[in-house]
Every structure is written in C-alpha cells, then in structure tokens.
Amino acid sequence: MKPKLMLVTEKGMQEFIPLTRYEELQMRFEKLSSEEKTQKEEKEKLYTMSRVLKIFKTSRPTIYAWEKKGILHPIRIEGRVYFKADDVDKMIDSKR
C-alpha cells in the first residue's frame, strides 16, 4: 500500500495528490493563454468620442483635425465614432 500525505486545511483533512508534470505544464499554459487573451482584449478596447474628449481635454473640432492629419483613426459603427485604445495610448505617450 502506498502511503498517503494528508493536509489539514480550512476544509478539514484532505489528501495531497501531486500533479503530474503534464498537468503542471498544462496549468501554466492555460494561465499564460488567459493573460495573453486579457492583453489582447485591452488592445482591442474602444473609446467613445466623449471619453477621448475628456482624456485630452479638448473639443470635437480638434479631434476631427487630428483625424484629418492622420493622428487618430476613428472607427464608425452605426453613426457612432470610436477610437482604438491603443491609438489613444500612443498619442498620450507621444505628448509626454
């Protein structure tokens, strides 16, 4: 009979079952994948026109001027104007 390692936890006595190397690597991969997915979602985030106006503390004509100059690239969806968070972050960094 193989000896068992028992742990005392908040839930009482529980048997400790070590992960196989494959299970450990799989868990690490899933964690990395979820982190990459979160980063990708952040990059794909869109800001509304009103949010961009607040961020830059400017007016609509200024935003439209930046659009004409190619500084900001709007995305129009059903009559609404959005901006990629990545583009806005780049512009903030360039102003610093």
Side-chain angles (χ1 to χ4, degrees):
M1 180 177 217
K2 193 174 183 182
K4 294 181 181 180
L5 179 60
M6 302 299 285
L7 298 174
V8 178
T9 66
E10 299 163 348
K11 297 178 183 177
M13 294 279 289
Q14 293 184 338
E15 182 180 358
F16 174 75
I17 303 170
L19 297 174
T20 64
R21 182 74 177 142
Y22 173 78
E23 290 170 328
E24 184 180 343
L25 291 174
Q26 184 68 25
M27 287 177 64
R28 286 184 185 176
F29 176 75
E30 288 171 1
K31 182 179 177 185
L32 288 174
S33 296
S34 66
E35 288 173 359
E36 288 173 357
K37 185 177 177 183
T38 303
Q39 290 173 350
K40 186 177 180 182
E41 288 172 353
E42 285 294 318
K43 288 181 182 177
E44 293 176 354
K45 187 175 179 182
L46 297 176
Y47 289 134
T48 61
M49 173 65 90
S50 60
R51 179 73 179 135
V52 172
L53 292 172
K54 288 178 186 176
I55 290 171
F56 292 113
K57 297 178 184 167
T58 189
S59 64
R60 284 180 187 265
T62 302
I63 299 295
Y64 293 132
W66 290 344
E67 177 186 344
K68 285 183 182 179
K69 290 180 182 178
I71 297 171
L72 281 178
H73 309 285
I75 298 170
R76 289 181 168 79
I77 302 172
E78 296 183 14
R80 294 180 184 261
V81 180
Y82 300 94
F83 298 91
K84 288 184 180 179
D86 203 31
D87 291 345
V88 173
D89 292 340
K90 285 178 187 175
M91 190 166 173
I92 291 169
D93 291 340
S94 71
K95 295 287 181 185
R96 288 183 183 170

